Amino acid sequence: MNDISSFTLGLWDYLAFGGYFVVLCFIGFWVGRKEKTSSDEYFLAGRKLPWYVVGGSFIASNISTEHFIGMIGAAFVYGICVAMWEWMNILSFSLLIWIFIPFLLATKVFTTPEFLEKRFNPTLRQFFAIITIVSNVVAFLAAVLYGGGLALHKLFGWNLWFAIITLGVVAGSWAIYGGLMSVAWTDFFTVIIMIAGGLMVTILGLNMLSGESHSLIEGFKVMITRNQAQSGIWKEVVIQNAPHIVGSSHYNRLAVIQPITHQLYPWPSLIMGVFTISLWYNVINQFMIQRVLGAKNIYHARMGIVFAGYLKIILPVIVVLPGLILFAKFPEVMKLPWEEIRPEADKGYVHMLQALVPVGLRGLFLAALFGAIQSTVNSVLNSTATIFTLDIYKRIFQKDASEKSLVRMGVWSSVVILIIAIILGGFIDRFTGSLFIYIQSLYAFFAPPFAAVFLLGILFRRINAEGATAAVIIGFITGIAIKLYLQLSASHPVWLEPFGIQAIVNWIICVIICVAVSLMTPAPRQEQVTDQLTINWKKLNIFNELGTKWYSNVVLWWAIFGLIVTLLVITFSGLFL
C-alpha cells in the first residue's frame, strides 16, 4: 500500500462533518437537558428507552476503532472468518433474549455486579466490579482512543497524543453531561451515520476493483476470485503465511470454519466462544448491557437485541469486506515479515480512504469514524462511572449517599476515568503489534470465569456463592498459568496458542470447579434462588412479554434473524467458495 501523505478536505466535507456534529450536540443536549436528580435517571435513563434506541445504542457502543481499524486489518490478514465475530452473536444474543433479560430486568438492578451479589455474595460483586473497571479502561477506552488517534495521525498528520486527548475530551462530553439518556439517543443517531459512511467506502472499494466496468457485481467477483488465492501473487502470499495462520501450508481465506490451530478463530470457538468471550461481552459486560437495563420493559429490551442482531448481520459489509478488498488490491503487503504484516494491516483502511474517498465525501466518513469513537467512549465512560459510583463508592465509602451526591460522583468519576484512559491510550502501541488481537486477547483473559458462574448461576439453583467464588479465583490463576506455560515451555501444544482456545480451556475448568465446590458445600439460601434470580424449570418463567401482535412478536423476528445467519455461515463454510 503506497503511502499517501495528504488527506485534504473540501468545503462539503467540512459542512458534512459540521452538520453531523451540530445534530449530535442538539440531540445530546435536548434529551439530556433535564436535571438528573436520581441515579435511576442519570445511570439508566429513567428506564424508559424504546427498543430501537436500545438496539441502535447497543451496536453503536460495540462499533469502534477496533472495527474500522483493527477488524478490517484482521480481515486483510486472515480473511472472512473475522465476520464470525459478528454473525455468531446469534448465540449470545439468543441467550440474552431468552435467558438473561427476564432476570436482569425483573430484579431492577443497576449493574451486573449488583445482580451477582443478589445471586451469590458481596465478595463476588466487589471483585467483578473492580475487574470490570480495569477491563473497561484498558481493553475498551484506551484501545478505542488509540485507534482513533492513530487514524487521525495517519490521515492529517496530527500528533498522536494531541489526537487521543482531543478525541477523549470531545467524545466523552455527553456521557458526563447527560448520562445514559444522552448516550443512548446520540448512539442511535450515530449508528445511522456509521453504517452510511462505512457502506460508502465499501462501495468505492468494489468499484475500484471492477476496473473500467464500474460494476459493483464485477468488483465483488474480482474480490472473491483474488481471495480464493488460486493463482498469482495472491496464491504466493497465502502459501507464505499459512504456517503462521493455521500451522500448515494450506489456508482458505473464504471459509468461516477453520482448523483448531487457526491463530484467530479455531473451529471450537464457533460453539464454545458464545460461553466464554461472547457471553461476557454481550451479556454481563456493563457498558453493553446498561442500555438493556434502561429499556422500558422486557419486550423493548428483547426487541432491542433482535434489532441489534439484524445490524450485526450487515456489519461485515463495512468492517470485513474492506479487508478482503484491500487484500485483493494490495497482496504485496503479505510479503513482509510476519511480525510486520499485522501492524501494517491496521493502517490499511486509512490508505483505502486516502486513495478512494473523493473530496466532498470525506466529511461523511470522518463523521462515521468519529461516531464510532464517540459512541464507544460515551458508553464505556457512563457504565464505568456507574459501577464505580454504585458498586464501590456507595457500597464501601458512602452507604447513605443521597441521590444527588451519587449523580455528582458519577460525573466526577467519569472525568477521572477519561483522563486515565487517555494516558494509557498513548502507550498502547508499545505493547502490541495488532490492535484487534490486543483487544481480543484481553477479552479472552477477563471473560471465562465470570461467564461461567453467571450462566451456571441462572440455570441451576444448586450453584452457590462458594462455588462461584472458587471458580472465579481459580479461573484467573488458570489464565495467568496458561500464559506463563506458553511463554516458558518450548514443547507446548500448538492448539493451545490461539487465545480463543485458551478461553475455552479456562471456561471448562471454571465450570468444573464451580459445580464441584457447590455440590460439596451447603445449598444457597432461598432468597438467592428466587424466580427473579434463576430459571424455574417447572414453570419456565422466561416466555412473558413477547409482543401482542404476530407481526411484532419477538419469536418471529428472532427466528428470521437466526435463519439469515445460518444461511450465511453455510454459504461461507468452505464448501462453496
Side-chain angles (χ1 to χ4, degrees):
M1 287 175 280
N2 296 323
D3 187 19
I4 303 171
S5 59
S6 62
F7 190 72
T8 57
L9 297 177
L11 176 62
W12 287 106
D13 295 314
Y14 288 110
L15 289 176
F17 185 76
Y20 161 79
F21 198 75
V22 168
V23 174
L24 183 75
C25 290
F26 174 78
I27 293 173
F29 172 77
W30 183 257
V31 300
R33 70 192 185 283
K34 182 180 177 182
E35 182 183 3
K36 306 298 183 296
T37 57
S38 71
S39 53
D40 192 77
E41 290 177 340
Y42 187 77
F43 296 117
L44 290 184
R47 301 184 193 265
K48 51 190 177 186
L49 297 176
W51 64 267
Y52 49 88
V53 174
V54 171
S57 181
F58 196 89
I59 294 301
S61 302
N62 173 234
I63 303 175
S64 66
T65 47
E66 172 197 352
H67 290 75
F68 278 109
I69 304 298
M71 198 167 187
I72 289 173
F76 175 86
V77 177
Y78 299 99
I80 202 170
C81 66
V82 179
M84 295 300 279
W85 255 281
E86 306 302 332
W87 293 338
M88 287 309 288
N89 278 283
I90 175 66
L91 300 178
S92 59
F93 279 22
S94 296
L95 285 175
L96 181 54
I97 291 166
W98 299 115
I99 303 297
F100 294 103
I101 282 177
F103 303 106
L104 289 171
L105 269 67
T107 52
K108 298 291 184 182
V109 295
F110 281 82
T111 67
T112 44
E114 184 183 356
F115 183 89
L116 287 176
E117 180 180 23
K118 289 177 179 290
R119 179 61 181 86
F120 297 117
N121 60 20
T123 301
L124 208 56
R125 174 181 183 174
Q126 293 307 135
F127 187 47
F128 185 47
I130 293 171
I131 291 297
T132 299
I133 291 173
V134 172
S135 64
N136 278 2
V137 173
V138 176
F140 294 110
L141 272 179
V144 169
L145 290 174
Y146 166 73
L150 183 66
L152 292 178
H153 168 70
K154 186 67 179 175
L155 286 169
F156 302 108
W158 290 15
N159 175 271
L160 183 60
W161 275 102
F162 175 76
I164 290 173
I165 293 171
T166 301
L167 285 173
V169 172
V170 175
S173 301
W174 294 121
I176 297 172
Y177 166 73
L180 184 62
M181 183 65 80
S182 288
V183 169
W185 279 95
T186 54
D187 280 355
F188 177 64
F189 168 68
T190 295
V191 79
I192 298 172
I193 301 300
M194 282 192 288
I195 291 175
L199 285 174
M200 175 191 69
V201 177
T202 299
I203 289 170
L204 290 172
L206 292 175
N207 182 68
M208 170 190 66
L209 292 181
S210 69
E212 295 182 359
S213 69
H214 299 294
S215 166
L216 296 183
I217 295 176
E218 182 61 29
F220 186 82
K221 290 179 179 178
V222 171
M223 180 194 72
I224 292 296
T225 300
R226 293 180 179 178
N227 276 271
Q228 287 175 325
Q230 298 298 316
S231 62
I233 187 174
W234 299 277
K235 179 179 181 180
E236 179 184 339
V237 296
V238 166
I239 292 175
Q240 173 186 327
N241 291 288
H244 298 288
I245 297 174
V246 293
S248 68
S249 59
H250 176 71
Y251 179 56
N252 186 350
R253 288 179 52 85
L254 292 180
V256 295
I257 300 175
Q258 294 292 341
I260 194 172
T261 54
H262 191 278
Q263 186 184 63
L264 200 64
Y265 212 97
W267 67 261
S269 296
L270 290 175
I271 299 174
M272 294 301 298
V274 64
F275 300 112
T276 55
I277 298 174
S278 188
L279 190 150
W280 171 79
Y281 186 93
N282 289 316
V283 178
I284 60 176
N285 176 11
Q286 182 69 22
F287 101 81
M288 294 296 290
I289 204 66
Q290 191 152 333
R291 55 266 312 117
V292 175
L293 298 176
K296 288 182 177 181
N297 52 41
I298 291 176
Y299 172 77
H300 281 272
R302 280 173 156 161
M303 279 302 291
I305 298 304
V306 171
F307 176 51
Y310 284 94
L311 294 178
K312 281 286 189 181
I313 289 173
I314 65 174
L315 274 182
V317 176
I318 65 176
V319 298
V320 175
L321 284 191
L324 304 185
I325 292 169
L326 284 166
F327 176 82
K329 183 65 176 178
F330 304 109
E332 63 275 4
V333 173
M334 296 289 284
K335 282 190 168 184
L336 294 171
W338 175 249
E339 61 274 7
E340 297 179 19
I341 290 176
R342 289 175 294 179
E344 187 65 23
D346 278 351
K347 303 172 185 177
Y349 196 55
V350 175
H351 282 289
M352 193 170 175
L353 296 171
Q354 291 172 321
L356 297 179
V357 181
V359 173
L361 289 178
R362 293 177 176 182
L364 179 60
F365 166 75
L366 289 181
L369 178 62
F370 178 80
I373 301 165
Q374 171 264 330
S375 59
T376 303
V377 170
N378 274 349
S379 300
V380 179
L381 258 187
N382 181 252
S383 65
T384 310
T386 300
I387 287 182
F388 177 82
T389 302
L390 301 179
D391 292 305
I392 295 180
Y393 171 73
K394 180 181 179 181
R395 196 175 177 283
I396 298 177
F397 301 106
Q398 199 71 33
K399 295 182 179 180
D400 58 347
S402 67
E403 290 293 299
K404 283 191 174 182
S405 68
L406 291 177
V407 173
R408 188 163 54 249
M409 177 53 65
V411 171
W412 282 109
S413 60
S414 296
V415 173
V416 174
I417 291 165
L418 182 60
I419 292 172
I420 294 172
I422 288 172
I423 294 172
L424 290 177
F427 291 100
I428 280 184
D429 60 339
R430 302 187 183 185
F431 301 102
T432 179
S434 171
L435 179 62
F436 185 75
I437 291 179
Y438 163 79
I439 294 173
Q440 294 297 328
S441 298
L442 288 175
Y443 293 172
F445 177 77
F446 287 121
F450 291 111
V453 302
F454 202 91
L455 181 63
L456 291 173
I458 284 183
L459 293 180
F460 306 109
R461 298 192 172 198
R462 188 58 180 81
I463 301 299
N464 62 17
E466 290 81 0
T469 303
V472 168
I473 293 173
I474 292 176
F476 276 93
I477 293 174
T478 300
I480 295 172
I482 291 175
K483 298 291 186 185
L484 291 175
Y485 170 65
L486 293 175
Q487 288 291 325
L488 300 176
S489 174
S491 58
H492 64 260
V494 177
W495 59 263
L496 189 58
E497 292 180 359
F499 53 78
I501 297 296
Q502 295 172 36
I504 292 172
V505 170
N506 197 354
W507 183 86
I508 292 173
I509 291 173
C510 290
V511 168
I512 294 172
I513 294 297
C514 186
V515 172
V517 174
S518 293
L519 293 177
M520 291 188 295
T521 51
R525 301 187 306 273
Q526 190 59 40
E527 65 269 21
Q528 294 176 313
V529 290
T530 65
D531 286 355
Q532 286 72 46
L533 293 169
T534 60
I535 286 181
N536 185 329
W537 291 101
K538 295 180 180 179
K539 296 192 299 185
L540 281 180
N541 52 324
I542 58 175
F543 295 112
N544 54 322
E545 298 190 48
L546 297 177
T548 56
K549 305 291 185 180
W550 70 267
Y551 53 80
S552 62
N553 192 277
V554 174
V555 177
L556 172 65
W557 293 104
W558 168 77
I560 296 173
F561 165 43
L563 177 62
I564 295 173
V565 171
T566 301
L567 292 174
L568 285 169
V569 172
I570 292 173
T571 300
F572 292 99
S573 62
L575 299 175
F576 304 103
L577 294 172

